Amino acid sequence: MTKKSISLTFFVLFAGLVLALVYSARDRIEPRLKRALSSESRQFVAIPPPAPELLQLYDMGIVDANGDGRLDIYTSAHNYRQILWLADGKGSYEDALSEWGLDQNHAFPGGEQSHDVPPIDKPGLYIYWQGDVLNLVAHQVDGLGAWKGVLQLYNKAEVMRSDGFSVENALGRASHDAVPVSQVTFAAQGNGHLALYVSTRGTPLAFNIDAPWARSRIYVGTQRIVPPANDFELTLRDRHGFAWSDYNNDGHLDAFITRGALGGTLRKFPPKVRDQVSDELLVSQGPGRFVEQSRNLGIGKKDCSGRHVRWVDYNHDGLLDLYINCQDRGNVAGGYPKQFYQQDASGHFTDIASLVGLAIPDFQLIDFAWLDADGDGTIDMLTHEDTGFFLYSRQDGKFTRTLVHRGGFVRSSVKGLKGNTDDYWQFDGKLNLADYDNDGDLDVFVASKKGNTLLVNHNGQFKTVDPASAGLPKASVAAAWVDYDNDGRPDLHTLPEGVFHQGTDHRFTATGYLALENNKYQAAFIHWFDMDNDGKLDVLMATQENAALWRWWEKPFRSKDVKGEDDRFRWKLMAYRNIGGQNHWLQLKLRGAAGNRQAIGAHATLVTPAGRQSQVVGSNDSSYFSQGHYRLYFGLGEQTRGNRLEIRWPDGHAQTIDNVKPDQLLEVVRDGQP
């Protein structure tokens, strides 16, 4: 064999080895759980999630949306499609979003951003989003005559493709002298494909299409909705947080939905645009039927780029009020003052944030939680801000700000946010509340890639405890409290480290359960709830990989559209059923007074021969921006007798139930309520 043939053979073998390694690595791209400890198979088993992945997820939450006693799943996904999965009680789910009218664009279901292309099988014009690109496809229109159209929008548009289209792209000025207007004039004699990159998707896209063929030949969105006229608008919703409650006491859950503010530039747009970017109070007319009433009920946008939102009866008058965190991303001078809407007896809302000391204009609010920190019967607010953790205590109708711990985040520069995966707005720093030490008040664990924080509460005085000294990880992507084995002590699940079991000395030990194989994740959500109604808490996880940590051989196999919107926006879902243990349990659903039927803020204590457990309705929700999971979970261990339930309702009324039977979903109605 010649030297040349030897060299060639070596090159072929080497190339084959490299390709084998690359393709082997490609097969390992999907996040996987560690091949478990032998005991893991006796505690958790993987089950199919409702979907393998979601796009551009902004939040995920749990709610009994239709009041059938089964816990459903909802999501918000910025400009991609939202989800409402209704549960069948056996672990399976059916998407009811469009049926319930919760699409981002109510006029055009399926008109949001998508990676899907609608079936293009009938003659006509198809208009749909694919990633950041707006597509117009003329299909089988030859012989129908020449046609033309005009697209106007309040931001820049770039022509990416114009096969078969003649296009004129003009940039003008609006009459308000503040916003550049792109006008795209297009025409075609027959078939063709026009693709436009639109810089701000949340603004209205105004179409005027002049065609000799019938309007019924125009199809909008992936569901191919026919517009009501040749003049129509296509607008995305940019949703972030959901807050569910029966605020008006009609027996049906209503939904408040926060929307962004066009990248923090809402005040720069004309009234026509601003009027379409409003938060939404969807008042239920019965399951699956809503009417938007935010403006009619006094809730205004006020430039607020809405993020976190939660209901609370802050003054204990029996009416739910609404606090909204407006995220300041550095685009508005002075920041966004937060909004606090108080409800009156007529159902009307008034912003009182400035009056009660909760406008918080000068600080970046990462997360907040309502709780009675010191047990005095009045509601307080705990915040995680860019300069530390603070307690807003209510005294004489106003809130006073006190430093709890100078830790957490340091405010990041807004410059370069796109490439910095550790910035505050990437779902980092959530407050997770539980009475982990069983002393009757709520403690706090905060997961952060910049370092975890454990705040132990003693009658409103928070002590900082080094997580490592308690057996917990120093840094994590996400966390959730859960009594996974129903022994009566809250355990802690962190990602990617897995589940940490709490011992009788309140120290934690890593179990190896649900641990992920590496630390390549940028963000995650963890939700523990009873999917199949067997009394054991199951888990649903959503994870987003950090694109900056992709290995060189993985990158060629990542999907990418024409504008670079790639797997950075993909979230993987994993679900695990809890099959371990024989400990007893109690699930609790409270029904409060009129105006607060979900009993948000009620303090429930279960007293057993083994000790006391305390939980607060609305504090155990693992959503980041949202609220809706109001069911309480108590592990009883081996206890079957002698259990007593003590409830302090939001209005201060006390109620006690003796001899509570285990292994049931117990619904308790406040004394004096029908």
Side-chain angles (χ1 to χ4, degrees):
M1 184 178 290
T2 66
K3 289 184 178 179
K4 184 175 181 180
S5 61
I6 293 174
S7 298
L8 180 61
T9 301
F10 177 78
F11 175 79
V12 171
L13 291 173
F14 178 77
L17 178 62
V18 171
L19 287 173
L21 290 173
V22 169
Y23 277 87
S24 176
R26 180 191 66 179
D27 293 337
R28 296 194 300 269
I29 288 176
E30 302 294 330
R32 294 188 177 92
L33 292 175
K34 289 180 176 179
R35 296 301 180 188
L37 305 172
S38 60
S39 60
E40 185 162 355
S41 63
R42 299 194 299 268
Q43 188 69 53
F44 299 100
V45 60
I47 58 176
E53 67 178 22
L54 295 174
L55 292 170
Q56 210 172 16
L57 184 67
Y58 254 68
D59 205 7
M60 176 178 286
I62 310 301
V63 65
D64 183 5
N66 54 5
D68 64 355
R70 304 164 182 167
L71 295 178
D72 313 305
I73 304 168
Y74 66 91
T75 73
S76 62
H78 205 241
N79 288 321
Y80 279 82
R81 190 174 187 274
Q82 321 291 334
I83 294 291
L84 176 61
W85 285 311
L86 299 181
D88 65 357
K90 301 178 181 178
S92 297
Y93 299 87
E94 181 179 357
D95 188 4
L97 187 88
S98 296
E99 178 185 346
W100 280 43
L102 294 176
D103 300 83
Q104 291 184 2
N105 192 326
H106 305 310
F108 299 106
E112 64 280 319
Q113 288 178 267
S114 174
H115 279 193
D116 299 327
V117 177
I120 301 176
D121 52 3
K122 299 179 180 179
L125 176 65
Y126 295 78
I127 302 173
Y128 60 93
W129 288 96
Q130 190 174 22
D132 286 345
V133 177
L134 180 69
N135 292 271
L136 287 77
V137 175
H139 178 66
Q140 295 182 357
V141 297
D142 295 305
L144 296 180
W147 58 278
K148 59 184 179 180
V150 177
L151 169 62
Q152 289 186 324
L153 61 162
Y154 290 90
N155 48 283
K156 297 179 181 179
E158 178 185 351
V159 177
M160 307 293 298
R161 177 178 177 179
S162 59
D163 297 345
F165 279 72
S166 62
V167 182
E168 178 182 343
N169 190 9
L171 186 65
R173 305 279 312 171
S175 60
H176 49 82
D177 296 323
V179 180
V181 175
S182 293
Q183 179 170 294
V184 180
T185 301
F186 52 88
Q189 187 68 36
N191 301 332
H193 188 174
L194 173 63
L196 303 167
Y197 171 70
V198 182
S199 60
T200 305
R201 281 83 64 196
T203 58
L205 311 179
F207 289 87
N208 179 272
I209 299 174
D210 182 12
W213 19 281
R215 171 181 53 82
S216 60
R217 299 281 181 90
I218 300 173
Y219 305 100
V220 179
T222 56
Q223 297 187 28
R224 302 195 305 188
I225 303 300
V226 175
N230 283 33
D231 297 317
F232 60 93
E233 288 187 351
L234 181 61
T235 306
L236 301 181
R237 294 288 179 178
D238 185 23
R239 292 175 171 175
H240 296 98
F242 280 66
W244 299 82
S245 76
D246 181 13
Y247 89 95
N248 58 0
N249 192 37
D250 65 355
H252 306 296
L253 283 186
D254 313 296
F256 186 88
I257 305 174
T258 61
R259 293 178 60 189
L262 306 180
T265 60
L266 184 62
R267 65 182 64 174
K268 298 180 181 180
F269 287 86
K272 178 179 180 178
V273 177
R274 295 200 303 267
D275 289 345
Q276 296 200 36
V277 185
S278 64
D279 295 329
E280 299 168 297
L281 178 53
L282 302 181
V283 181
S284 177
Q285 310 299 296
R289 295 181 291 121
F290 297 94
V291 177
E292 208 288 300
Q293 293 287 311
S294 59
R295 289 189 180 89
N296 292 338
L297 297 177
I299 300 176
K301 191 67 176 169
K302 300 181 181 179
D303 298 335
C304 173
S305 186
R307 293 298 189 268
H308 308 77
V309 57
R310 294 183 180 98
W311 294 99
V312 63
D313 181 6
Y314 95 100
N315 56 357
H316 310 293
D317 65 352
L319 301 173
L320 286 177
D321 315 301
L322 194 66
Y323 194 82
I324 307 170
N325 177 19
C326 309
Q327 197 85 322
D328 177 12
R329 293 182 60 182
N331 295 316
V332 178
Y336 288 121
K338 318 313 177 194
Q339 297 178 298
F340 189 22
Y341 286 97
Q342 181 181 10
Q343 184 186 177
D344 63 26
S346 69
H348 191 271
F349 292 85
T350 303
D351 187 1
I352 62 168
S354 299
L355 297 176
V356 299
L358 292 181
I360 316 180
D362 301 323
F363 311 106
Q364 177 61 52
L365 183 56
I366 298 162
D367 193 17
F368 69 92
W370 293 100
L371 74 163
D372 181 3
D374 53 7
D376 66 352
T378 60
I379 201 73
D380 312 303
M381 187 169 72
L382 182 69
T383 65
H384 183 191
E385 301 173 13
D386 56 359
T387 57
F389 300 91
F390 296 85
L391 184 66
Y392 290 77
S393 303
R394 182 169 174 255
Q395 298 176 354
D396 300 324
K398 294 187 177 182
F399 291 84
T400 302
R401 182 174 186 256
T402 304
L403 175 67
V404 171
H405 173 57
R406 185 69 72 182
F409 291 109
V410 176
R411 190 180 188 96
S412 303
S413 171
V414 176
K415 296 181 179 179
L417 272 181
K418 184 176 181 181
N420 188 346
T421 59
D422 285 335
D423 279 289
Y424 58 81
W425 60 282
Q426 289 289 347
F427 316 102
D428 209 12
K430 173 177 169 53
L431 301 170
N432 298 281
L433 277 63
D435 180 16
Y436 100 91
D437 54 2
N438 300 124
D439 66 351
D441 45 30
L442 295 182
D443 313 294
V444 186
F445 185 87
V446 181
S448 171
K449 298 182 288 295
K450 298 183 178 182
N452 297 334
T453 303
L454 177 60
L455 300 175
V456 181
N457 182 13
H458 296 290
N459 297 317
Q461 300 296 316
F462 289 88
K463 177 184 177 182
T464 305
V465 176
D466 179 14
S469 69
L472 297 172
K474 292 184 177 181
S476 304
V477 177
W481 295 101
V482 57
D483 185 1
Y484 77 95
D485 56 355
N486 285 331
D487 67 352
R489 296 184 297 273
D491 311 300
L492 189 69
H493 179 196
T494 67
L495 192 146
E497 299 84 8
V499 176
F500 291 79
H501 181 265
Q502 184 185 174
T504 55
D505 58 353
H506 304 308
R507 287 186 54 80
F508 296 85
T509 304
T511 66
Y513 299 152
L514 308 178
L516 299 180
E517 62 180 350
N518 56 50
N519 197 17
K520 65 182 177 180
Y521 304 100
Q522 174 174 321
F525 298 112
I526 303 172
H527 290 282
W528 287 87
F529 63 108
D530 190 357
M531 296 184 187
D532 52 5
N533 294 321
D534 66 349
K536 302 169 188 168
L537 297 184
D538 315 297
V539 63
L540 177 68
M541 294 181 284
T543 61
Q544 183 189 39
E545 294 185 32
N546 188 337
L549 300 180
W550 291 345
R551 295 162 290 194
W552 65 268
W553 61 80
E554 294 178 341
K555 295 179 181 179
F557 304 103
R558 300 288 178 169
S559 63
K560 186 178 290 186
D561 66 24
V562 294
K563 200 60 184 178
E565 189 163 292
D566 52 28
D567 280 346
R568 292 173 299 166
F569 300 106
R570 293 185 181 272
W571 289 72
K572 308 297 182 183
L573 270 64
M574 296 175 286
Y576 286 81
R577 184 185 176 197
N578 191 345
I579 61 172
Q582 300 298 318
N583 284 332
H584 298 284
W585 52 273
L586 176 70
Q587 297 186 20
L588 185 62
K589 178 182 178 182
L590 300 183
R591 196 175 81 191
N596 186 6
R597 302 296 273 181
Q598 281 65 53
I600 298 171
H603 193 115
T605 299
L606 186 68
V607 184
T608 74
R612 300 172 65 89
Q613 302 176 52
S614 294
Q615 296 183 37
V616 177
V617 177
S619 70
N620 62 332
D621 201 316
S622 295
S623 304
Y624 189 76
F625 292 122
S626 306
Q627 179 190 42
H629 190 191
Y630 303 123
R631 190 171 297 182
L632 304 181
Y633 303 99
F634 297 92
L636 298 179
E638 298 179 351
Q639 306 297 328
T640 60
R641 299 180 180 179
N643 303 315
R644 183 176 76 252
L645 182 63
E646 300 172 352
I647 304 171
R648 187 178 74 236
W649 296 92
D651 60 0
H653 176 72
Q655 187 172 347
T656 300
I657 302 174
D658 292 315
N659 301 317
V660 177
K661 296 181 179 179
D663 305 329
Q664 64 167 323
L665 171 59
L666 176 65
E667 182 172 349
V668 179
V669 180
R670 184 193 180 282
D671 286 334
Q673 299 298 312

